[in-house]
């Protein structure tokens, strides 16, 4: 990753009560990079994202751009510029698309800024503009994922955490979604960490990837290198 590490995770342990899930994760993500976290079900990928955004108790260290985020509550982490799009999207179904988007600005002030951000997000996701007054629950799966990412962008995040964005979506919809994420990454220099079961699609957009197995990173490298790894190919890429 070179000298410009933006996110640094050191010897991170986390779990739920007695259940230990992460057993000393070490990870560096460069500034402006798209990083994919791959791995089998139950490896702890979701828990890793929760640990990064302050939603589970951790031991070890999480640093963002030099600032210590370890053991800060989720709202404090969000204020430091970390936006988390959870698995299952976390949109509020009875609320309209617009209400959902505005909720994303909850840690910010400045009404003018919020209006400008709504415009900016409509630029990335034109379909959301057409659906502003509809309840989020009436959107398709792909549109809901766009809404969830749009809501996260209302935070003007420096780090965007995406948990399994492809869940339940057709590959062609996921590809379109990832293309937009790539555009956001390029235009706003937002660093992205994406957890994905669909390794092929994730490796198409990521610069680097890490494989998590039973709570430990077992392999890290450039997307090309991870794609070329035989073990990874057998375990995660076999279904293409
Ligand atoms: P998946 O792709 O299936 O979501 P994952 O790699 O994201 O898998 P996690 O969701 O982080 O894995 O789960 C890791 C382990 O932690 C699993 O054994 C899971 O059962 C357990 N776990 C997850 N959430 C909780 C919770 N809230 N309470 C207790 N155990 C949990």
């Amino acid at each position: 990753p070179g000298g410009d590490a933006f996110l640094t995770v050191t010897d991170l342990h986390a779990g739920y009560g007695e259940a230990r899930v992460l057993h000393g994760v070490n990870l560096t993500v460069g500034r402006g990079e798209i990083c994919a976290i791959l791995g089998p079900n139950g490896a702890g990928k979701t828990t890793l994202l929760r640990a990064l955004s302050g939603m589970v108790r951790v031991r070890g260290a999480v640093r963002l751009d030099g600032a210590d985020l370890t053991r800060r509550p989720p709202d404090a982490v969000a204020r430091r510029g970390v936006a988390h799009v959870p698995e299952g999207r976390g949109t509020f179904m009875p609320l309209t698309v617009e209400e959902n988007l505005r909720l994303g600005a909850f840690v910010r002030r400045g009404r003018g800024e919020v209006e400008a951000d709504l415009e900016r997000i409509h630029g990335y996701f034109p379909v959301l503009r057409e659906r502003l007054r509809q309840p989020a629950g009436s959107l398709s799966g792909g549109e809901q994922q766009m809404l969830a990412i749009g809501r996260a962008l209302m935070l003007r995040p420096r780090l965007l955490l995406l948990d399994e964005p492809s869940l339940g979506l057709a590959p062609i919809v996921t590809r379109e979604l990832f293309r937009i994420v790539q555009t956001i990454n390029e235009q706003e220099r937002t660093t992205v960490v994406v957890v994905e079961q669909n390794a092929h699609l994730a490796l198409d957009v990521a610069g680097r990837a890490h494989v998590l197995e039973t709570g430990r990173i077992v392999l890290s490298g450039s997307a090309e290198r991870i794609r070329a790894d035989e073990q990874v190919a057998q375990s995660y890429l076999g279904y293409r």
Side-chain angles (χ1 to χ4, degrees):
D4 204 11
F6 186 58
L7 174 70
T8 312
V9 174
T10 314
D11 196 24
L12 194 71
H13 295 253
Y16 307 92
E18 295 292 289
R20 290 151 154 230
V21 176
L22 301 181
H23 308 279
V25 169
N26 292 292
L27 189 67
T28 307
V29 180
R31 190 184 303 272
E33 172 182 310
I34 300 182
C35 157
I37 309 287
L38 312 176
N41 281 320
K45 305 183 297 299
T46 294
T47 304
L48 174 59
L49 291 194
R50 286 185 186 146
L52 296 181
S53 61
M55 287 157 61
V56 293
R57 286 170 97 29
V58 301
R59 198 151 54 73
V62 177
R63 297 182 78 81
L64 185 74
D65 208 10
D68 189 1
L69 295 187
T70 325
R71 283 178 290 280
R72 300 240 193 164
D75 63 313
V77 175
R79 267 187 201 90
R80 307 285 324 195
V82 180
H84 186 162
V85 180
E87 192 170 9
R89 290 138 202 170
T91 49
F92 296 97
M93 300 296 181
L95 299 187
T96 66
V97 167
E98 180 170 2
E99 287 164 342
N100 269 281
L101 287 173
R102 288 184 183 278
L103 276 176
F106 72 104
V107 296
R108 305 221 333 258
R109 334 101 291 225
R111 195 167 160 75
E113 282 183 21
V114 172
E115 301 310 314
D117 281 348
L118 282 170
E119 276 309 305
R120 183 176 124 256
I121 287 155
H122 296 157
Y124 293 124
F125 304 108
V127 68
L128 294 182
R129 188 204 302 274
E130 297 161 22
R131 309 247 188 283
L132 279 179
R133 310 267 174 265
Q134 274 180 226
S138 70
L139 301 180
S140 72
E143 290 164 353
Q144 277 182 30
Q145 188 64 58
M146 290 178 189
L147 175 57
I149 295 173
R151 191 180 64 179
L153 291 182
M154 291 298 286
L155 204 67
R156 293 205 191 165
R158 298 189 294 157
L159 176 65
L160 183 61
L161 307 176
L162 302 177
D163 196 351
E164 211 75 62
S166 75
L167 200 74
L169 304 183
I172 189 168
V173 177
T174 307
R175 206 167 280 124
E176 162 74 1
L177 203 62
F178 278 180
R179 195 189 53 73
I180 299 171
V181 168
Q182 216 167 12
T183 305
I184 293 164
N185 165 259
E186 281 161 13
Q187 295 198 355
E188 314 206 0
R189 304 222 349 106
T190 312
T191 305
V192 179
V193 176
V194 56
V195 159
E196 249 311 328
Q197 293 267 340
N198 192 326
H200 275 299
L201 293 180
L203 290 173
D204 281 348
V205 296
R208 291 176 60 80
H210 306 267
V211 178
L212 188 69
E213 281 178 10
T214 54
R216 290 184 181 83
I217 301 286
V218 296
L219 186 66
S220 297
S222 68
E224 299 88 80
R225 188 173 153 236
I226 300 291
R227 198 188 274 107
D229 186 276
E230 241 171 69
Q231 202 68 46
V232 171
Q234 277 181 14
S235 307
Y236 307 113
L237 302 175
Y239 53 81
R240 178 172 248 183

